[in-house]
Amino acid sequence: MIQVVVVDYKAVQHFNLEKKLREHGFEATIVNDLVQLTMHLFNRHVDVVIFDLDFFGFAEVLAVKKIRSLRNLQSLGIVILASNFKTADRLELISSGADAFLSKPVETEELMAYIRNIYRRANTSQESAPAAQWHFHRNEWRLVAPSGTSLTLSHLEVSLMDMLIKSIGKPVKRKDIIAIGFGLDPLSYDNRRLDSIVSRLRRKLHEAYPRSQPIKVVHSVGYIFTEPVRSD
């Protein structure tokens, strides 16, 4: 289901936009301002954002530029709605990354068609693009996310990553991580310490690249790294 976020509740109240989106098969979420939008984008998957320019003014230009500057959000579709606008403002918004600029009152079918086309284009380009890849620099104690963000790792996180990458695509047993990776006795080791190390590393990865979580828990076994990664 296509995930759509509408910025500003007034747009929903005035045009019943949320109801119309749901009636056309979209999952609709409403946020009240740009702060809520940013938080939502970093914590949930979103396909298309709809801005109502009448209720915010030209701040959307800055918001669009910021969104487009983030590598992991470049496939996000952006639709701008407005009743009155200057040609220069419209050109600035489109050049900043907006995919569509529609005049109000908006024709429902036209808006829905734009959303579907934007989603189709984004997903077609993602399928043809190479898979996002992580890069593990073992000697430098660094992990680079597909977004380009570099994470500094602790020595235990380095050992954990080393184990996971050597067994890429296959689960690594907890006892092997403790014995081989950490060089400790699995029988006397407190497993809660391993859980804490993994949780902390997963949080780091999520902050650097919210679109996915490559370290998965394999219940009753251990952990697995599920995404493309190269190491040196």
Side-chain angles (χ1 to χ4, degrees), residues 2 4-31 48-53 55 79-82 102-115:
I2 301 176
V4 180
V5 172
V6 181
V7 184
D8 198 278
Y9 70 93
K10 297 185 188 71
V12 182
Q13 291 179 336
H14 287 215
F15 308 111
N16 294 318
L17 192 50
E18 182 179 17
K19 180 181 178 182
K20 291 176 182 177
L21 287 166
R22 294 187 184 280
E23 287 176 346
H24 282 75
F26 302 121
E27 180 65 35
T29 302
I30 312 304
V31 296
V48 177
V49 174
I50 299 176
F51 289 110
D52 193 321
L53 200 61
F55 298 115
V79 177
I80 307 293
L81 310 181
L102 304 180
S103 299
K104 296 191 301 186
V106 178
E107 291 292 336
T108 301
E109 295 301 327
E110 181 183 12
L111 174 60
M112 304 307 160
Y114 268 110
I115 293 173

Side-chain angles (χ1 to χ4, degrees), residues 134-145 148-161 197 200-208:
W134 298 77
H135 191 178
F136 178 49
H137 300 270
R138 193 190 194 290
N139 293 334
E140 299 176 16
W141 292 20
R142 282 194 307 123
L143 179 66
V144 180
T149 302
S150 180
L151 308 175
T152 300
L153 306 177
S154 69
H155 73 285
L156 290 179
E157 290 170 343
V158 170
S159 299
L160 172 62
M161 280 298 305
I197 292 168
R200 184 167 58 248
L201 179 56
R202 294 182 83 209
R203 283 197 299 271
K204 284 184 180 181
L205 269 57
H206 176 74
E207 290 172 1

Side-chain angles (χ1 to χ4, degrees), residues 6-230:
V6 181
V7 184
D8 198 278
Y9 70 93
K10 297 185 188 71
V12 182
Q13 291 179 336
H14 287 215
F15 308 111
N16 294 318
L17 192 50
E18 182 179 17
K19 180 181 178 182
K20 291 176 182 177
L21 287 166
R22 294 187 184 280
E23 287 176 346
H24 282 75
F26 302 121
E27 180 65 35
T29 302
I30 312 304
V31 296
N32 294 336
D33 52 42
L34 299 180
V35 174
Q36 288 187 9
L37 172 64
T38 302
M39 293 177 63
H40 191 84
L41 290 174
F42 275 95
N43 289 284
R44 297 284 299 277
H45 173 73
V46 178
D47 296 304
V48 177
V49 174
I50 299 176
F51 289 110
D52 193 321
L53 200 61
D54 291 346
F55 298 115
F56 273 99
F58 211 60
E60 268 59 31
V61 174
L62 299 178
V64 170
K65 285 184 175 180
K66 183 175 182 180
I67 289 170
R68 286 302 187 208
S69 70
L70 302 175
R71 293 186 186 181
N72 58 318
L73 293 178
Q74 285 182 343
S75 64
L76 181 70
I78 298 172
V79 177
I80 307 293
L81 310 181
S83 54
N84 297 299
F85 57 86
K86 298 177 181 178
T87 300
D89 293 347
R90 176 173 179 168
L91 291 174
E92 177 68 17
L93 283 164
I94 292 175
S95 66
S96 297
D99 297 284
F101 200 111
L102 304 180
S103 299
K104 296 191 301 186
V106 178
E107 291 292 336
T108 301
E109 295 301 327
E110 181 183 12
L111 174 60
M112 304 307 160
Y114 268 110
I115 293 173
R116 291 191 180 94
N117 287 340
I118 291 168
Y119 175 80
R120 191 179 301 116
R121 285 201 308 268
N123 282 271
T124 299
S125 89
Q126 284 182 355
E127 289 173 3
S128 61
Q133 189 176 60
W134 298 77
H135 191 178
F136 178 49
H137 300 270
R138 193 190 194 290
N139 293 334
E140 299 176 16
W141 292 20
R142 282 194 307 123
L143 179 66
V144 180
S147 62
T149 302
S150 180
L151 308 175
T152 300
L153 306 177
S154 69
H155 73 285
L156 290 179
E157 290 170 343
V158 170
S159 299
L160 172 62
M161 280 298 305
D162 196 39
M163 291 286 294
L164 295 177
I165 290 174
K166 285 179 179 177
S167 299
I168 191 70
K170 298 178 181 179
V172 182
K173 296 179 180 178
R174 296 172 65 93
K175 67 176 184 179
D176 290 340
I177 295 173
I178 297 167
I180 301 173
F182 298 169
L184 300 171
D185 180 8
L187 296 178
S188 60
Y189 187 84
D190 185 351
N191 276 273
R192 289 174 298 182
R193 292 174 57 194
L194 177 58
D195 294 335
S196 178
I197 292 168
V198 173
S199 295
R200 184 167 58 248
L201 179 56
R202 294 182 83 209
R203 283 197 299 271
K204 284 184 180 181
L205 269 57
H206 176 74
E207 290 172 1
Y209 194 65
R211 292 187 70 90
S212 66
Q213 176 52 255
I215 298 179
K216 301 288 195 301
V217 178
V218 182
H219 294 290
S220 303
V221 180
Y223 302 95
I224 184 172
F225 199 95
T226 60
E227 296 184 6
V229 58
R230 61 191 178 98

